């Protein structure tokens, strides 16, 4: 019998560390190739790591909640003489210390996540002691990793939750309802803005900012607590500091009569062509940004520090980022080549993007290559803001809440749906006249969506 050591691999994201979220096995368990060993959280996503060989779990070298560097040993597995085992003594790392492709185990076996996909199953063959019965039963519940994490954060026992998913899985709403917090979550997730609901942090509006769930450590007097900065929060803070101190930010904003946008949204919702798609003002805002970026290309450009000197790279395509606040932190997935999509196709893309973010399935690839971003602070009841530009972009547009206000129309004060459009821009790339024209163009579309027909 030989003992294999599995080190934390790079999982294809170019990251340097990850947090051990939940072990799916324990010492003494029997595992086969592709059985899930552990759930980890990188700076961008939750990932399940499959076993690269079969055998008996020896020792878990890292505790749940610990942050581990790529290449560090995390588990040992003993394989017998007849077991399908990977040939290297340490799997997940090459002889030079770099993450390597796990070896195949058994004829035709390919590790899930490293090659051709296959069925992933977590096996717990060791009889559970009474204190372990709840954990073992929870492993058997059908639920995605983000749902399990949400259940842990809310203190919900998954075995007691009634699943409502189409395949018998526990959904996010099931967990929230069981935690007797459904009313709070629904109020935040179903505002007037439609799709924007899936970009809110599940907490009542106008409360203290919600951070990524962690294990706070209160002081002796209970007056303060310390929250470790890691995962998405760590990556976000690093990116925002980099952007804030490298790109000179300038912000502009204007109030907009969005009454005709609201009328168009109402008509689209009643249209048979959009019967199966959620429609909101975000759709019109997205089209407006794409249209305005075509008229002022520099807002869709990027400042690049090249070897021969600084360059401005103007993109003739729009990878439209949508900022999404999730329980794990801020994510900014983007819709690739959004300029080529019809209104219906863009609506479907927005719906898919927001649902994927809410369920915690946003991949690193979904967040790479963005060219300009929309952030929807209207869901918090905010009128305007000065957001920080995402690294690699030159502009970000903030969408305020839409509410009825008195507005002067043809010399008369009338109730109209009014919002505020704001934007922050990299002044190295675009000057005041360009950014003002861009925001004015976005505002003109919200005021008269028929301009999109030009």
């Amino acid at each position: 019998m030989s003992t294999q050591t599995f080190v934390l691999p790079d999982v294809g994201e170019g990251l340097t560390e990850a947090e051990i979220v939940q072990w799916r096995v324990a010492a003494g368990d029997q595992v086969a190739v592709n059985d899930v060993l552990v759930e980890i959280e990188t700076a961008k996503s939750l990932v399940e790591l499959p076993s690269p060989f079969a055998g008996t779990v020896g020792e878990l070298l890292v505790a749940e909640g610990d942050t581990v560097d790529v290449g560090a040993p995390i588990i040992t597995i003993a394989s017998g003489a007849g077991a399908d085992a990977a040939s290297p003594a340490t799997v997940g790392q090459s002889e030079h210390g770099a993450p390597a492709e796990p070896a195949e185990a058994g004829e035709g076996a390919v590790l899930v996540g490293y090659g051709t996909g296959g069925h992933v199953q977590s096996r717990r063959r060791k009889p559970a002691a009474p204190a372990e019965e709840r954990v073992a039963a929870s492993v058997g519940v059908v639920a995605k990793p983000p749902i399990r994490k949400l259940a842990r954060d809310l203190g919900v026992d998954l075995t007691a939750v009634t699943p409502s998913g189409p395949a018998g899985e526990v959904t996010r709403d099931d967990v929230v309802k069981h935690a007797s917090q459904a009313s709070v979550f629904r109020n935040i997730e179903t505002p007037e803005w439609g799709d924007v609901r899936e970009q809110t942090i599940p907490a009542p509006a106008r409360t203290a900012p919600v951070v990524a769930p962690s294990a706070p450590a209160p002081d002796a007097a209970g007056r303060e607590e310390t929250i470790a900065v890691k995962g998405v929060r760590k990556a976000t803070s690093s990116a925002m500091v980099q952007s804030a101190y490298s790109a000179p930010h300038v912000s502009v904003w204007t109030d907009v009569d969005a009454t005709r946008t609201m009328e168009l949204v109402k008509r689209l919702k009643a249209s048979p062509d959009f019967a199966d798609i959620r429609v909101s003002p975000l759709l019109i805002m997205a089209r407006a940004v794409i249209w305005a970026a075509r008229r002022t290309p520099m807002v869709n450009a990027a400042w690049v520090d090249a070897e021969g000197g600084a360059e401005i790279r103007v993109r003739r395509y729009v990878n439209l980022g949508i900022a999404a606040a999730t329980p794990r932190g801020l994510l900014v997935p983007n819709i690739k080549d959004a300029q080529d999509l019809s209104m219906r196709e863009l609506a479907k893309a927005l719906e898919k993007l927001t649902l994927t973010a809410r369920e915690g399935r946003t991949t690193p690839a979904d967040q790479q290559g963005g060219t300009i971003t929309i952030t929807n602070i209207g869901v918090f009841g905010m009128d305007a803001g000065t957001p920080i530009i995402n690294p690699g972009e030159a502009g970000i547009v903030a969408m305020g809440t839409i509410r009825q206000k008195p507005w002067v129309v043809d010399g008369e004060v009338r109730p109209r749906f009014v919002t505020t459009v704001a934007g922050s821009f990299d002044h190295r790339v675009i000057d005041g006249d360009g950014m003002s024209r861009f925001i004015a163009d976005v505002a003109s579309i919200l005021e008269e969506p028929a301009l999109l027909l030009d």
Side-chain angles (χ1 to χ4, degrees), residues 154 172 176 181 183-189 197 199-211 325-327 379-380:
L154 296 179
R172 183 177 185 276
V176 173
Q181 299 179 21
S183 60
V184 173
F185 275 61
R186 283 202 197 94
N187 288 339
I188 292 177
E189 294 183 354
R197 68 186 179 88
Q199 299 170 9
T200 59
I201 296 174
R206 301 184 184 276
T207 61
V210 176
V211 298
T326 73
V379 295
F380 302 106

Side-chain angles (χ1 to χ4, degrees), residues 19 31 38 41 77 94 134 144 177 191 274 282 297 334 446:
E19 176 189 349
V31 294
V38 64
E41 181 179 18
I77 297 180
S94 70
R134 180 181 297 182
K144 297 176 181 177
K177 186 181 299 183
F274 290 83
L282 176 62
N334 61 79
L446 295 180

Side-chain angles (χ1 to χ4, degrees), residues 1 53 70 181 198 246 272 289 325-326 330 337 342 344 413 423 426:
M1 178 177 290
F53 35 70
V70 168
Q181 299 179 21
E198 287 127 3
S246 61
V289 168
T326 73
L330 180 67
D337 290 314
S342 66
R344 174 179 167 80
V413 178
D426 186 341

Side-chain angles (χ1 to χ4, degrees), residues 273-274 277 283 286-287 290 335 337-350:
D273 292 338
F274 290 83
I277 308 173
L283 173 60
R287 287 299 297 269
I290 296 168
I335 299 172
D337 290 314
Q339 78 284 349
D340 295 333
L341 303 181
S342 66
M343 184 78 84
R344 174 179 167 80
E345 290 170 338
L346 184 59
K348 288 180 69 71
L350 286 169

Side-chain angles (χ1 to χ4, degrees), residues 292-304 310-319 369-372 392-394 428-430:
R294 186 173 68 244
R295 289 164 55 90
T296 309
M298 297 304 288
V299 304
N300 197 50
W303 180 277
V304 179
E311 300 174 346
I312 294 177
R313 187 167 300 161
V314 182
R315 280 80 69 104
R316 303 299 181 187
Y317 60 92
V318 177
N319 288 348
T371 63
I372 190 168
E393 301 178 15
R428 297 174 301 177
V429 178
I430 183 169

Side-chain angles (χ1 to χ4, degrees), residues 10 12 23-24 76 100 141 147 151 192 199 201 280 296 336 375 390 395 407 409 434 442:
D10 180 348
W23 283 106
R24 301 290 190 84
T76 62
V141 174
I147 306 304
E192 181 67 24
Q199 299 170 9
I201 296 174
S280 79
T296 309
K336 305 293 193 283
T375 180
N390 286 319
W407 193 264
V409 180
V442 173

